[in-house]
Amino acid sequence: MIDEIRIDDLGVIGRAHVRLGSGLTVLTGETGAGKTMVLTALGLLLGGRADPATVRTGATGAAVEGRVLLAPGSPALERARDAGAEVDDDGTLVVLRTVSAGTPDSPGRSRAYLGGRSVPQGLLAEIAEELVTVHGQADQMRLRSAARQRAALDAFAGPEHAAVLAEHATTWSERARVQAELDDRVARARERAREAELLRLGLAEVERVAPQPGEDLQLAAEAERLGNAEDLRSAAAGAHVALVGDEDAADVGAAAVVLVEEARRSLEQAGHHDRALADLAVRAAEAGYLLADLATELSSYVQDLQADPARLDAVQRRRAELTGLTRSYGEDVAAVLEWAQGASDRLLDLDGGEERVAELTARRDALDDRLRSLAGTITATRTDAAARLGAAVTEELAHLAMAGAHLEVVVRPADEPGPHGADSVEMLLVPHAGAPARPLGKGASGGELSRVMLALEVALATAEGSGAATPGTFVFDEVDAGVGGRAATQVGERLARLARGTQVLVVTHLAQVAACADRHLVVTKSVAGGVDVVTESDVREVRGEDRVRELARMLSGQDDSVTARAHAAELLAQSVGR
């Protein structure tokens, strides 16, 4: 529900504070006083397009602020919180729109704020869809849409119908996904066969070569060793001689092992006099052991290292085979093995293509059967609801100055089934007895179409078991166009009936409608120097004698007419009696 609206420098309104509430609120005022600007302000809060031309003359910009009460757990409340808006504990949300006037060189800009946070204009419109339904001359085009008419009928049909519709939409989406995959597999059958053949050839080559993990690294090291065998032998032999000396030479005293052994003995002898030298003698002995072990390993290395041209040739040929694989399937043997695993998995999928096509075909056929069953149920419930909705709206029209008019809701097979079923829905209006039934918008005036919309809303809001998600607020503009006398009173009664369960705001010029309201707001204008030029407008609530005076003005154009005021008082008394 919209709690209040504050308006600054919008059109002819300098500053206004509009307090709203539950039930029926009417907005009245003389022509040109600024009623349209109140609706413009509301439109801005609901995410409508901002026009810099609506900024009050002489002002740098306009601002509209609204306070909206949201029900706990409502989609609008959750969406606002997701956007980062701050919401009061009681569910109050502040919405703000600003519009700058702009200059010839710099066009005006608009900004939107939700709960203290700057948000895109579209977010306000998204939240407004959950909160407010606006019915005006421009909004009547929506009722002419076949999709809107179908949605209205589906809402009237009830929650069980809505559940079947939801299942049908889900099944339709799943059927489309299955069909898309099936079409892709059939269209790409030749391409998949070629891909499978290439994978088989690649896997056969990998299987023939049979690379082992890390084999390329091991072979590279072995090739390096075999290719430099003589240099390695020479280096190892020289190191061995340096450690133990040359057995064929007469003097081995310069060998490292001999020198270390001499150092150990010298330290050991002197160690009897100093413990520190004794410890160093032990360390010298350990060094001797290490040198002896190193010499032994060098001797074994020299004996084992043989120049083997045949083995080197075999290693090089094996490396060439592995290089052929890595050129095609990966940068090294590890990558080749990874490719082979992935290729095997892909080949299993490709080879199973025919089985998958059969599975998809069976799944599609099952979904088609389910869709036909659901569509049949939807058609049946729509047909039943169409008769009930037509009768309910026709009953309402009889109370809205359209005696003899009736609404026909026709359910026909659609040219093509869709996610909403296999039906097309059309609403036909017979405006008066003897007239042919014509589609809405073609056989009705703007005022008549407004009343049809009102009748629909009342029927949807009051239907027992209806699945309609009633918005928190309805706004009607010119719903009473072309209506007068007792019919105007009946329009007011219908609006009041709709307002029993929701907030309704009506812009009206009829006293009979205004008298039925729970709250009466008047847009007043001030003039300058006796010249009838609006300089500023204000919006105020009228009660008691002020309300009688406003109703008298609406009835006769003279708020001081005794007769008009008596009539106005009578209207108020009758509305209270209802």
Side-chain angles (χ1 to χ4, degrees), residues 153-168 370 374 377-378 381-382 384 388 464-468:
L153 176 60
D154 288 336
F156 183 81
E160 293 183 3
H161 176 75
V164 177
L165 274 176
E167 183 183 353
H168 185 280
R370 183 56 181 160
L374 291 171
T377 301
I378 291 170
T381 54
R382 273 181 178 154
D384 175 70
R388 292 188 289 111
E464 182 178 357
S466 172

Side-chain angles (χ1 to χ4, degrees), residues 548-554 556-562 564-565:
V548 171
R549 188 178 298 108
E550 172 62 14
L551 291 176
R553 181 199 63 77
M554 298 174 70
S556 66
Q558 298 178 350
D559 56 10
D560 58 352
S561 169
V562 176
R565 293 181 67 174

Side-chain angles (χ1 to χ4, degrees), residues 246 370 474 564:
D246 190 349
R370 183 56 181 160
F474 286 102

Side-chain angles (χ1 to χ4, degrees), residues 322-383:
L322 295 178
T323 300
L325 289 181
T326 57
R327 285 174 180 162
S328 300
Y329 308 111
E331 60 182 12
D332 54 26
V333 168
V336 170
L337 294 174
E338 184 179 354
W339 174 88
Q341 181 61 50
S344 298
D345 295 341
R346 175 60 176 164
L347 189 58
L348 287 175
D349 178 61
L350 293 173
D351 287 342
E354 293 183 0
E355 291 82 356
R356 182 58 178 163
V357 167
E359 292 175 3
L360 291 170
T361 301
R363 175 62 176 159
R364 180 200 60 191
D365 293 345
L367 290 171
D368 283 340
D369 291 341
R370 183 56 181 160
L371 284 172
R372 281 191 288 269
S373 174
L374 291 171
T377 301
I378 291 170
T379 298
T381 54
R382 273 181 178 154
T383 301

Side-chain angles (χ1 to χ4, degrees), residues 187-478:
R188 296 179 56 213
R190 181 175 299 177
E191 179 182 343
R192 291 168 64 88
R194 176 174 175 78
E195 181 184 356
E197 183 61 26
L198 292 175
L199 290 176
R200 290 191 186 93
L201 292 174
L203 288 171
E205 185 178 0
V206 173
E207 184 178 359
R208 179 185 63 79
V209 176
Q212 301 302 311
E215 184 181 5
D216 51 343
L217 301 178
Q218 296 173 1
L219 291 175
E222 186 178 1
E224 183 71 14
R225 185 173 65 253
L226 291 173
N228 297 277
E230 292 302 324
D231 292 339
L232 296 173
R233 182 194 303 277
S234 177
H240 185 269
V241 170
L243 291 173
V244 299
D246 190 349
E247 296 178 355
D248 297 332
D251 184 10
V252 295
V257 172
V258 175
L259 294 175
V260 170
E261 177 60 21
E262 290 179 356
R264 183 195 64 77
R265 286 197 299 267
S266 177
L267 292 172
E268 189 177 59
Q269 291 174 358
H272 296 292
H273 306 293
D274 189 344
R275 184 61 186 172
L277 289 181
D279 292 340
L280 292 175
V282 173
R283 293 175 61 184
E286 293 174 350
Y289 300 149
L290 291 174
L291 291 175
D293 288 343
L294 178 58
T296 300
E297 292 184 13
L298 285 171
S299 177
S300 298
Y301 180 84
V302 171
Q303 292 175 5
D304 293 341
L305 183 63
Q306 301 293 332
D308 189 349
R311 175 56 184 167
L312 179 60
D313 181 62
V315 168
Q316 297 292 17
R317 284 188 281 105
R318 179 60 176 172
R319 293 184 70 197
E321 284 184 320
L322 295 178
T323 300
L325 289 181
T326 57
R327 285 174 180 162
S328 300
Y329 308 111
E331 60 182 12
D332 54 26
V333 168
V336 170
L337 294 174
E338 184 179 354
W339 174 88
Q341 181 61 50
S344 298
D345 295 341
R346 175 60 176 164
L347 189 58
L348 287 175
D349 178 61
L350 293 173
D351 287 342
E354 293 183 0
E355 291 82 356
R356 182 58 178 163
V357 167
E359 292 175 3
L360 291 170
T361 301
R363 175 62 176 159
R364 180 200 60 191
D365 293 345
L367 290 171
D368 283 340
D369 291 341
R370 183 56 181 160
L371 284 172
R372 281 191 288 269
S373 174
L374 291 171
T377 301
I378 291 170
T379 298
T381 54
R382 273 181 178 154
T383 301
D384 175 70
R388 292 188 289 111
L389 179 60
V393 173
T394 297
E395 182 180 353
E396 291 297 327
L397 290 176
H399 300 287
L400 296 173
M402 295 183 69
H406 69 271
L407 184 75
E408 296 179 5
V409 184
V410 181
V411 179
R412 301 188 182 94
D415 294 336
E416 292 290 339
H420 301 287
D423 311 315
S424 68
V425 176
E426 186 177 22
M427 294 183 180
L428 305 175
L429 178 66
V430 178
H432 54 81
R438 302 187 65 184
L440 288 179
K442 294 184 178 180
S445 65
E448 289 174 329
L449 194 54
S450 292
R451 277 170 274 160
V452 172
M453 295 174 74
L454 173 58
L456 270 172
E457 295 293 8
V458 173
L460 291 172
T462 58
E464 182 178 357
S466 172
T470 304
T473 302
F474 286 102
V475 179
F476 289 94
D477 184 22
E478 298 188 23

